[in-house]
Amino acid sequence: MAASSERSPPPFPDSEEPELLEDSDEGADAFTGTSISEMDSLSPDTTGPPKDIFNEPPEDIFSDPLSEINSEPQKNVKIPSPGSDEAVDLFSDPLDDEADVISSPEVQNPVPDLLKEPVEAPKSDVISEPPSDLSSKPVHKNAIDSPKGAKTAVSAELFDDDDEEEDLFNEPLKGVTKKPQPSAVSGPPVNVFTEVKSEVKVKPQVKDDPTDLFAEEAVTAPATKPSVSSSSRTNGVHSEEQDIFSEATVELSLDSPRNDRKKKDAVKPSVSAPAVSVASSSSKPPSKTLEELEEEESEDKFDLNISVTNPEKVGDGMNAYMAYKVSTQTSLTMFRSKTFTVRRRFSDFLGLYEKLSEKHSQNGYIIPPPPEKSILGMTKVKVGKEDPSSAEFVERRRAALERYLQRVVSHPSLLQDPDVREFLEKEELPRAVGTQALSGAGFLKMLNKATDAVSKMTIKMNEQDVWFDEKIQDVENEEQQLRKLHVMVESLVNHRKELSGNTAVFAKSVAMLGSSEDNTALSRALSQLAEVEDRIEQLHQDQAANDFFTFSELLADYIRLLGAVRGCFDQRMKAWQRWQDAENMLQKKREAEAKLLWANKPDKLQQAKDEITEWEAKVTQFERDFERISATVQKDVIRFDKEKARDFKRQIIKYLESLLHSQQQLIKYWEAFLPEAKAIA
Amino acid sequence: MEGSSAEAALSVSANSIRITDLTQDGDVLTFAITSQKLNGSAGVCVFRTYEDFEWLQQSLFSQENVPGLQGIIFPPLPPKALPTQLNMQTKAFKQLGFLALGQGWQSYCKALEFYLQQVATHPTLCKCKALESFLINTESPGKQRGRKGIFNRLSQAVEEMRKESHKDVDNFFQNERNRNTSIAALSKVATEKLLDVVMTEQKLALACGHFSTSLHLCVNQDDADAVAFSKVCLKLSDIIEAVKRNYEKVASNNLTTLGLGLDLESRYQEAEKEMLFRRTCKLVELETVKKSTEKAKANKREVMEAFQKAVEKEFNLISSVAKQEIEHFHSSRVNVLKNFLIDWCEQQLNTAKECAELYSQHLEACRNMYSE
C-alpha cells in the first residue's frame, strides 16, 4: 500500500462525520440492491473475521500518522459494541475509513483488473486534501466521497448483480478519475453513503452475526476501494496482507494500556458527539506528542529480536547475489508466530526502505537508511571465490543489514507498517526494482543536493521555532563531528591491523630465532614467546574487528541516520513552503477581490469569493500540515536522540567488555609465559 | 660480564656504574657517569661525550701486553647518536633502532651504561688503564684519538667477503661461526620487527589520543538527551584515553626490556662475529705462512719456521682465549636475555593487570550509567 492509503484515513473521519450527521437519515433506494448483493457475496468471506474488523481500527491508530484520529476510532470501537443503532450510524463511517486501509485486501483479491483504473484520482485527492477542517468545504466531502463512490461502483461491477447500478456508479467513477474537484461528484456519493448506512440497519436480519459487525462489513466493501485504487500493488501481495492484518488485530490487546489511555482522553468528547471530538482533535497534536513520548518509554522493552544470518551466494557470475536469512523472534501478537524466518536479498532491503520512505518521509518520520550499495564489494564477492576481503565485506554487510532492520522495527510507527511485517514474514516478496538509483553514493548525492537546495530555502524561512532552529544547527554540527570521529576510528582500526600484522611477523622471527638457538631452555622460551605473540596477534586482530564493528560502523550508521534526520527537516521545510505559497496565493486572491469590488464587477465577485474560501481552506490545511509535520519531526528527533544515546551506551559497554576480555586473555598469556622465562638456566 | 676476581684492578664497582644525566648541546650529547669507589662510599661523577666513549673503545682494542687480545669479544659500543640531524627520524632509526626511541635518549643512555658495565666486568678488559681514567678522571681522557686502530672497518668488510667462507681447522669454531652468522641475522631481524611493533603501538596510542580528544568536541549541553549523549561521549573519551595509556605503557615496556635486550643481543652477536673474524684472519695468515715456509729455500727455512711458530703460537693463544670468551659469552648472554625476558614479562603482566582493573572499573561505571 502506497503512502496515500496510509494518509488517506485522516481526511475521512473529519470530513465525513458532519456529513454523517446531516445525511444519515436520507436514503436513496437506488443503491440498496448493490449493497445487499455486496453483503451477500461478502458474507461468506467475512463471517469468519468479523473480530478482525473490530480490532482493525486500533491497528490503524498506530500506523496512522495523524495522532488526532487515533482517538476517534477508539470511541467507535467502544460504542458499537453495545449495539445501539445510533452508534452504528455514527460510527460506521469512521470504521469504514479504518477498514479501507485494512480490509481492502480482502475485497480486492477477486478484482485484479480494477486496481489499475482508479489509481490516479484517489491519490490526488488524498494528497491535496488531507486533514481539513471539520467545518470545511464541500471540497472535502467530494474528494473523499468520490473515491468511495468509485469503489461502490467497482464492487457493483465486481458482483455483476445489477446492471443499472453499475451504470449509476460508473458515473461517479469517471468523475473521480477525471477530476477530483468538488462539483463533479458531490451528488451521488453522498447518496451512496447514506445508502450504505441504511443498509446496515436492515442487514442484520439476514445474518446471525451481530449488527455492528455486519454494518462494518457492509461499509467495508465500498470503502475499501480508495485504498485499492491508490495502490499499484499486485494481487498476490494483498492476499497475503489479509493474513497479516488478521494477525495484527490481536495486537490490540497487547497495546491496550496505551489505548485505554487514549480512550480516556477521547471518551468525554465522544459521549456528546463525534463532532466535538473532531474539534478537540485538532487541538490535540501538541499534547499528544508528550503523551507519545511517555508511551515511548513504556514501549522500550518491546520484544522483537531480528537477526540477519547465513549470507549465502545464490547463482553464478554477475547475476549472483547474496541471500540473507532474516529470523524474527517476537512475542508481539501482531505476528503470526513467535519465530519465523525468511530469505531476503540485498535489494529487498533497499526496496523496503524505498517503500517506507515513499510512505512516511513526508510525514516527518526518520526512516533508517539501509547500508549503501557497494558495486566494488559485491563484484568481489561475485568474482572472487574465497577471498578474505570479500568475506569481510559480506560480514560487514550482514551486520549492517541487521542493524538496519533493528532500527526500523524499533521505530514505533514503522513497525506498524504492513510492508515491514510483510518483509519479515512473507515467504516471497516481489522483486524490488529500481533500487539502484537510490542506493549508495547516488543516494547520498541526491540527499546532499536536497540539503543544498533547502539551505537556500532556509535563508528565506525565518525559523519561528527555537527548538528547530537549534536542532538543525546541532544536527549539522553533529554530523561533522561524527564524520571526524569516523576518520579517527578508521585510522585506529588501520593501526590495529598494522599492529596485528607486525606482531605476526615478530612472532615468526622470534620463532626462527628460537629454532636456531643452541641453549635448549632459551630456545624453548623463545618458541613459547613466539606462540604468545601469535596469540596476541589474534587478540589484536579481534580487537581491530571489534573497533571496526562497534565504532566505525556505528558512526557510519549514524552519519547516514543524521542524513535522514536532515531529510525530515527538509520535509518540514517543504511543508512550510507550501503553506507560505498558499498564504501568498490567498493574499493575491484577496487583492483580486478587492480590485473587483473596487471595479464593481459583481459577476466575477462570486467566483473570487469562492476562490478565497478555497485558498483559505488550503492555507489552514497547509498550516496544519506544517504543524503536524513539525510535531512529528520533533517527536521523532527526540526519539532519535534518545535512541542514539542508548545505542552508543550499549556499544560502549560492548566495547569495554571486549577490551576487558582481551586484557584478561593477555594476562593469561603472560602468566603462562612467565615461568618459561624463569626456567631459562 | 660477571664481575669476578679481576675487579681488583678497577677501583670502582662495576655494578654501580650509572649514566645519571644527559645534556644536549647542539649535536653533542654529554653524559654524566657516576660510579662508586670500591674502598669506601665515595662516589665519582664524570662527564663524557660520545667521542670519549669511542676513545675508550679504541684504547681497549689497542691494548698492548695482552695475550690473545684478538680473541676477546669486545662489548659493543652503540653507534653514534646525532640528535640534531634533520633526517634523524629515518637515519637514526636505521642506525640506532631501539636506542633512538624513548624520551630524552633514555634507552641510549641505558645502552651506554650497559656497555660500560660490560667492559668493567670483563675479566681482561677491566684491567685496562683507559677504563680507569675514563671512569675517574674529571678531565676528558686526552684527545689522542684518531688512531684508526687495527680494525679498519672498510677493509674489514672487503676482507670479510673473502674470508667469511674460509674453512676452519677447528670444528668448534666452524660451528660457532655458522651459529653466530644465523643468530646474528635472526636477532637483527627480530629486533627490527619488534621495533615495528613498538612503533605501531606508539602510533596506535597517538590515534587513540586523537580519538579521545575529538570525542570531547561532541559535547553539547542543550537538552537532556544531548547531555546524556555527551556523557556517553565523555565516558568513551575516558576509555579511549585509558586504552591509549595502556598502549603507551606496553610500548615502553617493550622498549625498555625486550627491545633493549634484543638490541644488545644482536650487537653482541656482531661483536662475536668480529672476534671470530679476527681469529679467521689470523688463521688465514697462519696458513699462508705455513705454505710459504714449505716453499721456502733451505737458507730461509729456519727463519720462516721460527716465524711460523710465532704465528702459530699467537693463533693458538687467540683460539684459547676465544674459546673461553665464547663460553663465557654464551652463559652470560643467556642470563642477560633471561633477565630481560622475565623483566619484560612481569612488566607486561603488570600493565595488563592494571589495565584490566581500569577497564572493569570503567565497565562498572558504564553499566551504572546505563541503568540510570
Side-chain angles (χ1 to χ4, degrees), chain B residues 2 16 51 62 110 152 163 185 218 230 278 285 291 317 329 349:
Chain B
E2 274 160 359
S16 69
E51 279 70 29
S62 55
K110 259 260 162 328
N152 188 318
K163 291 177 184 167
C218 292
S230 300
R278 289 194 297 269
E285 189 190 334
K291 267 180 208 157
L317 194 61
F329 167 66
L349 191 57

Side-chain angles (χ1 to χ4, degrees), chain A residues 541-561:
Chain A
Q541 209 174 314
D542 293 350
Q543 198 58 53
N546 249 321
D547 278 3
F548 181 73
F549 279 112
T550 27
F551 287 132
S552 180
E553 290 287 85
L554 179 76
L555 288 169
D557 276 5
Y558 271 93
I559 289 169
R560 278 207 302 274
L561 278 167

Side-chain angles (χ1 to χ4, degrees), chain A residues 465 468 572 625-635:
Chain A
D465 196 324
F468 275 103
R572 179 175 165 272
D625 267 1
F626 174 70
E627 273 160 15
R628 177 173 58 86
I629 207 169
S630 296
T632 321
V633 169
Q634 187 169 8
K635 192 189 91 185

Side-chain angles (χ1 to χ4, degrees), chain A residues 26-44 46 96 107 148-149 151-166 168-169 188-204 206-207 214-223:
Chain A
E26 311 150 13
D29 296 331
F31 302 99
T32 332
T34 324
S35 13
I36 292 169
S37 64
E38 279 170 36
M39 289 301 298
D40 291 341
S41 54
L42 276 173
S43 44
T46 46
D96 75 37
V107 188
K148 262 176 209 156
K151 260 39 248 188
T152 335
V154 169
S155 49
E157 245 173 357
L158 171 62
F159 299 109
D160 270 348
D161 268 352
D162 293 53
D163 290 344
E164 317 129 51
E165 265 127 41
E166 196 181 326
L168 282 170
F169 282 112
V190 175
N191 293 340
V192 172
F193 247 103
T194 41
E195 242 333 293
V196 174
K197 263 154 239 153
S198 56
E199 261 316 304
V200 170
K201 280 179 203 156
V202 181
K203 255 8 297 168
V206 184
K207 280 284 162 183
F214 248 104
E216 279 147 29
E217 277 311 312
V219 181
T220 308

